[in-house]
Amino acid sequence: MNMDGAVDKPKDGPQDRLALALAEDMAAVNLLIRERMSSEHAPRIPEVTAHLIEAGGKRLRPMLTLAAARICGYAGTDHRKLAATVEFIHTATLLHDDVVDESQRRRGRPTANLLWDNKSSVLVGDYLFARAFQLMVEPGSLRVLDILANASAVIAEGEVLQLTAAQDLATTEDIYLKVIRGKTAALFSAATESGAVLAGAPEDQVQALFTYGDALGIAFQIADDLLDYGGSSAVIGKNTGDDFRERKLTLPVIKAVAKADAEERAFWVRVIEKGQQNEGDLERAMAIMARHGAMDAARTAALDWSRRAQDALKVLPENPLRDILADLAQYVVARIA
């Protein structure tokens, strides 16, 4: 699975089955997205937004909202508005992320900031956040509004925390978890929790779906970080070692730094904090991580979060969608198992 939520082949994976099961709802969500991303006065807004929204992302987050509502017995249509809200929040964060990261490619295409400019990307992202808040108000649930507004704040907080934690060897696993909750898990858990709340589900089911989304997002991100040190670019959509070259402190590195002797620590200071990387440094970093079992420990953590997500679903009513969500939690860690 790649970072924008698109699941890689095969096409009969759980996300494809989820899309098939929710096809009618998703058709309505996509129509709503196209309607609400329009702007009468600023044609650049739909130009920039369409470039990203129509780029082939698999819409995982909105499908999580739809599935959660349906599993909890929801029979109305407002869950579609929440699903569109979640996709707008996600798209806004992608636009902002690409500016912050100075990215040039997303989903195999040039980024909006490259095609237009940074100002357009930031301002259109702001517009999508505003559209998201308009949509999330319409179902009339203060609790849903609280969940989605809080998630938006956690996402922004995580981005700022990542700026301060980046290239700082003092970054702990707790800080890493806060960063990846902002980066991935906060919107997953908001997507699932808000669907359950809209459906009027009992509190244990609401909590279960929050826990599922949170654990799914964390497992997803740890797996992605692991694959950076052991997956081909064709599989993960980026080159092996990209995180190392960008001096990102992901879980395998954090675990290796925690066990480093003086010589290894000097190596990490040079390549991560100072950014002085030479030929062969990636291989040395991977050898150090292997020596301390850092990769295996991170793999164990990802599998634990995946199991936590699957276990959370057990309190929910029996439903084919529930089974697909359980399969999805297994699938996001399948290639590192």
Side-chain angles (χ1 to χ4, degrees):
M1 182 179 289
N2 61 39
M3 278 305 301
D4 61 15
V7 171
D8 304 305
K9 293 179 180 180
K11 284 295 184 184
D12 59 351
Q15 191 164 344
D16 299 290
R17 288 188 279 122
L18 195 59
L20 189 62
L22 297 167
E24 185 180 341
D25 276 335
M26 277 308 300
V29 170
N30 288 330
L31 183 61
L32 189 58
I33 286 171
R34 281 191 290 272
E35 287 173 354
R36 297 300 181 98
M37 73 183 192
S38 63
S39 170
E40 181 183 346
H41 305 295
R44 180 163 294 186
I45 288 172
E47 285 175 15
V48 173
T49 307
H51 173 74
L52 195 53
I53 285 184
E54 308 294 345
K58 294 294 188 74
R59 304 277 205 269
L60 174 58
R61 293 153 186 82
M63 286 198 293
L64 289 175
T65 300
L66 297 173
R70 290 294 189 216
I71 290 167
C72 295
Y74 186 67
T77 58
D78 278 346
H79 64 321
R80 296 169 177 174
K81 291 181 177 177
L82 296 188
T85 294
V86 166
E87 185 66 8
F88 276 156
I89 293 171
H90 177 53
T91 306
T93 61
L94 295 185
L95 285 166
H96 288 167
D97 285 353
D98 285 342
V99 172
V100 171
D101 297 339
E102 299 179 350
S103 302
Q104 298 188 338
R105 308 286 293 177
R106 183 175 289 280
R107 295 172 184 164
R109 307 170 76 199
T111 53
N113 50 300
L114 189 66
L115 288 178
W116 285 274
D117 50 50
N118 284 343
K119 293 176 183 177
S120 294
S121 290
V122 170
L123 294 173
V124 172
D126 292 346
Y127 178 82
L128 291 182
F129 269 121
R131 281 298 202 205
F133 276 87
Q134 287 176 326
L135 268 167
M136 74 176 78
V137 167
E138 289 180 18
S141 168
L142 272 177
R143 185 171 176 189
V144 163
L145 182 60
D146 182 60
I147 291 165
L148 291 167
N150 181 65
S152 299
V154 171
I155 291 165
E157 189 177 43
E159 287 293 331
V160 177
L161 180 60
Q162 187 172 24
L163 286 178
T164 58
Q167 296 134 33
D168 181 356
L169 293 184
T171 297
T172 63
E173 290 188 29
D174 283 345
I175 293 172
Y176 170 80
L177 272 179
K178 286 186 175 72
V179 168
I180 66 173
R181 277 202 163 97
K183 192 173 187 178
T184 304
L187 195 51
F188 277 25
S189 59
T192 48
E193 185 185 11
S194 61
V197 168
L198 183 69
E203 201 56 40
D204 63 332
Q205 293 181 20
V206 172
Q207 184 57 47
L209 279 159
F210 168 83
T211 300
Y212 170 81
D214 181 62
L216 177 72
I218 293 171
F220 170 107
Q221 191 59 57
I222 295 174
D224 191 82
D225 291 345
L226 262 169
L227 285 169
D228 189 71
Y229 289 100
S232 70
S233 60
V235 171
I236 61 175
K238 59 183 180 182
N239 297 315
T240 300
D242 274 355
D243 286 349
F244 177 77
R245 282 182 285 273
E246 292 170 17
R247 302 154 62 197
K248 290 181 179 176
L249 277 158
T250 56
L251 190 59
V253 176
I254 291 169
K255 286 183 174 293
V257 169
K259 294 185 175 182
D261 60 26
E263 184 183 342
E264 290 167 349
R265 185 165 185 87
F267 167 78
W268 291 120
V269 168
R270 174 172 66 79
V271 298
I272 299 295
E273 287 195 346
K274 296 182 179 177
Q276 298 169 0
Q277 296 185 5
N278 304 318
E279 191 73 29
D281 280 345
L282 172 61
E283 290 73 19
R284 184 179 175 190
M286 292 173 71
I288 292 171
M289 287 189 281
R291 186 180 310 140
H292 292 298
M295 298 288 286
D296 288 340
R299 184 178 293 107
T300 297
L303 295 174
D304 285 347
W305 283 105
S306 171
R307 278 191 292 271
R308 197 177 305 191
Q310 293 169 65
D311 289 345
L313 297 172
K314 292 175 180 175
V315 307
L316 301 175
E318 286 192 19
N319 188 300
L321 287 170
R322 184 192 73 172
D323 298 338
I324 296 174
L325 293 189
D327 290 345
L328 183 64
Q330 283 186 304
Y331 185 72
V332 298
V333 296
R335 288 166 299 148
I336 62 161

